Amino acid sequence: MTNLIPLPQNRQQRRSYKKFEKKVGTLTLKQFFELLRCPKNRDEVFRSLQPKVRRKFKKLLAEHCDVIAAIATEDILHEKTGKVYKKGTVFLIDGHTRRVIWTNEYEEGLGNWCDHLPEEINVTYYYIASYKDLCDLYDHFDNSSSTEKTADKYYGACKVNEFELSNPKLKQVMAIQYAAHKLYPTVFTSPKAMSTYDLEEVAFRFKDALLALDKVGGGTFKKGKNKKAYTMATTPIICALLMAFKKHGVRLDENGTCSHPLFEIAQKLNKGHLNNTADDGKMDGVSHIVNEWTYDLLIKEKAFNFNTIDKELSFCLYWIEAHLSDKRLEKI
């Protein structure tokens, strides 16, 4: 088989690697609209509504008419979902957001989205033979333009695994990356700068836990009354809950609710449950976590950093398990 893209494995090598076997062509606007969306792509509809993006594409420039696509040289199987992309499938790799903007302008024709629509688009095609090739190609052009953040990649990873999250705090990546690293350290060797392919695997492994935690608080974690007030929406607590949910197999019931005892613990953490009225000074696990995050009794620094996260995680996980076992203990 010929014309496969020889993508290096190392991220830095991919950034500096210049020579790809490719072919170029042109598309009409209608043909461009019909290209298959890359399953890894971020939320281009949301992005098209951002003011800075609207300004960028308001005036049609020559460079806007150059896009990247991929052609499958054989049937491509996505093992997680079982979906098969047939040989010859053409994926749009770079150009999704401008396509939304041009589509809106094409349909409305009022000049609100851009001043002109292109008559044709220049496209550079790369050849792929596997789903991994598709991810690597997507990462390559993402890295070269530095336009997409890890949170955008994570959104795409969830979409590929056929789910979306409502809670904005669960759409952030630090907690889920660290939970994956801690539970699977040989698979995810670092909690930072995960590739698109790795994030898709993370979303696949934590799907049930994420969907269950997404139901806590009706899809929004409760905020503290002031900047120093307790809130569950901190990286260590969210990370600990994801790890605990995954360990204990927490998932939604068929009716969309969750009956697992850990779900109720998460609900109590979200509400700031504090039960320290017993004469013997013993508290349940949730109260210990809320108390610590309120008064800084053991861990002085609560802002996330890699120097304190292990101590904070250990603290949260210990007291989550203690609460699950219905233990009431004195403060440490």
Side-chain angles (χ1 to χ4, degrees):
M1 184 160 44
T2 60
N3 290 333
L4 297 183
I5 51 173
L7 287 172
Q9 296 302 310
N10 179 272
R11 178 180 285 261
Q12 185 59 39
Q13 286 177 316
R14 288 205 304 268
R15 286 176 175 167
S16 60
Y17 202 84
K18 300 298 182 184
K19 292 185 178 180
F20 293 104
E21 294 186 32
K22 58 191 178 184
K23 77 171 186 177
V24 296
T26 58
L27 296 169
T28 65
L29 189 61
K30 184 178 179 181
Q31 288 172 329
F32 176 58
F33 288 163
E34 293 173 350
L35 288 182
L36 184 64
R37 179 186 187 274
C38 179
K40 304 299 301 179
N41 200 60
R42 57 185 145 183
D43 186 352
E44 65 268 32
V45 175
F46 172 78
R47 188 167 184 269
S48 71
L49 299 175
Q50 297 176 0
K52 64 179 181 179
V53 176
R54 293 286 297 273
R55 289 193 298 269
K56 177 180 177 180
F57 292 109
K58 181 65 175 178
K59 183 178 180 179
L60 182 64
L61 301 176
E63 55 263 34
H64 297 162
C65 300
D66 295 319
V67 301
I68 305 296
I71 301 176
T73 60
E74 56 186 80
D75 290 355
I76 292 177
L77 171 66
H78 184 257
E79 295 180 355
K80 300 295 187 305
T81 62
K83 185 176 180 62
V84 176
Y85 300 97
K86 294 296 184 180
K87 177 181 178 180
T89 298
V90 181
F91 301 89
L92 180 62
I93 298 296
D94 177 59
H96 292 84
T97 301
R98 77 196 73 169
R99 183 165 69 172
V100 172
I101 288 175
W102 291 346
T103 299
N104 291 340
E105 183 57 39
Y106 181 80
E107 293 175 350
E108 297 177 8
L110 300 176
N112 292 327
W113 294 89
C114 59
D115 59 349
H116 294 94
L117 289 171
E119 293 183 2
E120 64 179 22
I121 294 95
N122 303 314
V123 57
T124 302
Y125 297 98
Y126 294 90
Y127 295 88
I128 58 172
S130 68
Y131 191 77
K132 182 66 163 57
D133 283 347
L134 178 64
C135 293
D136 286 345
L137 182 65
Y138 183 78
D139 269 347
H140 172 79
F141 285 100
D142 163 42
N143 291 335
S144 64
S145 62
S146 298
T147 58
E148 187 174 31
K149 298 179 181 178
T150 306
D152 293 318
K153 296 179 183 178
Y154 180 48
Y155 170 87
C158 293
K159 285 281 286 184
V160 166
N161 283 284
E162 302 177 335
F163 73 97
E164 290 188 55
L165 299 169
S166 300
N167 193 320
K169 289 296 181 180
L170 294 182
K171 295 179 182 180
Q172 298 173 5
V173 296
M174 186 55 72
I176 187 66
Q177 285 187 133
Y178 217 96
H181 170 61
K182 284 298 182 182
L183 284 179
Y184 308 101
T186 60
V187 178
F188 308 106
T189 56
S190 172
K192 298 181 285 185
M194 287 186 180
S195 69
T196 301
Y197 194 76
D198 284 342
L199 284 170
E200 183 180 317
E201 181 66 22
V202 169
F204 173 75
R205 295 189 183 208
F206 283 84
K207 180 177 180 178
D208 287 336
L210 284 164
L211 288 174
L213 193 56
D214 196 42
K215 291 290 186 179
V216 172
T220 304
F221 294 151
K222 186 178 179 181
K223 296 181 179 180
K225 294 181 180 179
N226 56 62
K227 290 184 178 180
K228 294 185 177 180
Y230 165 82
T231 174
M232 187 178 88
T234 63
T235 297
I237 299 177
I238 296 174
C239 180
L241 283 169
L242 285 169
M243 293 173 69
F245 273 38
K246 178 62 180 175
K247 174 191 172 185
H248 291 281
V250 180
R251 62 175 59 197
L252 295 176
D253 301 329
E254 291 184 1
N255 61 2
T257 62
C258 186
S259 57
H260 197 285
L262 266 173
F263 184 82
E264 182 58 32
I265 289 176
Q267 291 276 49
K268 288 183 176 181
L269 280 168
N270 187 44
K271 294 175 182 177
H273 163 92
L274 189 60
N275 182 5
N276 58 353
T277 58
D279 293 337
D280 58 7
K282 294 181 179 180
M283 297 189 295
D284 57 39
V286 169
S287 297
H288 277 288
I289 294 173
V290 174
N291 201 49
E292 169 61 31
W293 254 252
T294 302
Y295 299 108
D296 293 334
L297 302 175
L298 179 68
I299 309 166
K300 301 303 179 185
E301 298 287 341
K302 292 302 189 304
F304 175 80
N305 66 76
F306 288 100
N307 295 323
T308 60
I309 183 66
D310 285 345
K311 183 183 290 186
E312 294 163 357
L313 270 180
S314 294
F315 185 93
C316 291
L317 288 169
Y318 175 84
W319 288 111
I320 287 173
E321 292 294 329
H323 196 115
L324 191 61
S325 301
D326 201 28
K327 293 180 179 179
R328 294 178 60 87
L329 303 170
E330 292 183 23
K331 64 182 180 181
I332 57 176

